[in-house]
Amino acid sequence: MKTEITHHLTPQLLMAYSAGTLPEAFDLIVASHLSLCDACRAEAESYDAVGGALMEGETSEMSAGSLEATLRMIREGGAAEADAPCAAAPPATAELPRPIRDYIGGDLADVRWQGMGMGVRQAILPVDGPATARLLHIPAGAEVPDHGHKGTELTLVLKGAFRDEDGRFGPGDVEVADEAVEHTPVAEAGEDCICLAVTDAPLRFAGLMPRLAQPFLKI
Amino acid sequence: MLSNVDWLDEKAAWPVAPPDPPPGAGTVAFLGDAALARMSDTNRSGTEGAATGAGDAAEPNAAARAAPEWVEHVTRIRDARDEAAFAELFAHFAPRVKAFLIRSGADGALAEECAQEVMATLWQKAHLFDPARASVSTWVFTIARNRRIDALRRQRRPEPEDLPWGPEAEPQQEDMLALQQDSERLAEALRALPEKQRHLIERAYFGELSHGEIAAETGLPLGTIKSRIRLALDRLRHALK
């Protein structure tokens, strides 16, 4: 099941994921890659440690009685949530990483695909925010259609493999491409390729979010 | 490649102009790289690195505890629902969580409410805390961050697949201690950073920084912490096979 992952996330993306400043779609693809890649997971957790150390630096006084209020909150409502994680163990047969299963509400067999022509299918995942996420199903040997990424696009391979000018991308590999990258990925012969692709849409950026996320993504 | 246009406007708004990103900043220099180089240095000089500096500096807060002690507090909550241990954790961490949320844009009332919820989550999830992979500070930060995303951004936060501890995967004491000490060193190194560099990192975490600005090498000892976490993950994966 475990294959060698050769294309990883950038430190900038991992740090932004840890800081919690990415749009939801990018959080989804980072979390999915981390589910498959221990190297990136360890790196992301080390950025969490930076966050923890930063948080130590400053305090703001809690209001009077806040400890008692919190203990009351714990006594009143805590037990149910505390038991939840037992159910979280991944089924041994799962085909997709859990973050993606959570958005599908099931596994690969439950994806509701829509045809895009030439045998290619897609399924848009319900993420909020200024970036979109979709699953792509590309028949073996077929070219990935131009899905019009105007900003930064990340593509995570879940099954099969594709090749483009940057090399071969197999399960767990993630390609980071900005709009300047002209690439024509082709699914490898032999097995259909299933990917998660997320893209930001610079034109829809407005307000606070773009200032937070855009610079990280324009790598 | 990084285009200057993306962050030029922000730069103008800075009280002090940040340094220009070095050419190729996006691909070469970043926190992790400098730290990795440093990590091999540290390994060569044995454990001395861990002993020098960190912890010797006078802590302004007399009640401050070493990272392993906080681990023990969380364990007491997990095993004995110990409210006294919780009260101490609360006294230390709740004001820090509140400050973090205020700096991230929450008003005082929302920050207060969220800080209480974060501390309640600490109690409820004490059994999920893994001292071989994180310090209590780190863990509390991740809970606070997720609460921030939920409360301030109203966004879901996808998390990686859980790696549940099996019965035989109980963290080893020495792994746990080493990771906790690494975390203290990291905090110490962060405090020792020049003001300007620390400010850049803070902006990244409080949500208002462009990546070109952080491209400077800070030399934080991130590499050791990363390798410890990696080791813990390897052991865990092995145990789960």
Side-chain angles (χ1 to χ4, degrees), chain A residues 41 43 54 77 90 94 105 166 185 206 215:
Chain A
R41 191 195 284 241
E43 187 164 343
L54 277 180
D166 287 336

Side-chain angles (χ1 to χ4, degrees), chain A residues 11-22 27 30 34 40-52 54 216, chain B residues 100 138 141-146 148-149 157 159 204-206 222:
Chain A
Q12 287 83 359
L13 280 163
L14 290 171
M15 190 189 203
Y17 175 76
S18 173
T21 53
L22 291 172
D27 276 352
V30 171
L34 298 191
C40 286
R41 191 195 284 241
E43 187 164 343
E45 290 183 12
S46 70
Y47 289 123
D48 288 346
V50 174
L54 277 180
F216 279 110
Chain B
F100 165 70
T138 303
F141 164 74
T142 62
I143 298 172
R145 171 201 63 205
N146 291 0
R148 181 186 74 184
I149 291 172
R157 166 73 180 188
E159 293 282 345
Y205 279 81
F206 299 125
L222 264 182

Side-chain angles (χ1 to χ4, degrees), chain A residues 166-187:
Chain A
D166 287 336
R168 177 184 188 272
F169 294 79
D173 283 332
V174 63
E175 178 168 63
V176 182
D178 66 19
E179 57 198 308
V181 174
E182 282 289 332
H183 63 152
T184 26
V186 178

Side-chain angles (χ1 to χ4, degrees), chain B residues 54-138:
Chain B
D56 296 342
E59 255 290 342
N61 179 0
R65 289 175 178 277
E69 287 183 72
W70 289 131
V71 171
E72 201 210 305
H73 280 62
V74 173
T75 309
R76 274 157 58 192
I77 292 174
R78 182 194 69 189
D79 295 342
R81 315 265 99 186
D82 185 333
E83 292 194 2
F86 182 75
E88 278 197 57
L89 280 163
F90 190 94
H92 180 79
F93 286 106
R96 286 170 168 78
V97 171
K98 187 175 177 182
F100 165 70
L101 292 165
I102 288 172
R103 292 193 69 181
S104 303
D107 64 33
L110 181 62
E112 169 83 27
E113 185 190 323
C114 289
Q116 291 185 19
E117 285 164 0
V118 166
M119 295 311 293
T121 303
L122 177 149
W123 175 289
Q124 286 155 351
K125 298 198 168 175
H127 61 293
L128 292 178
F129 173 60
D130 177 357
R133 273 167 61 192
S135 70
V136 176
S137 297
T138 303

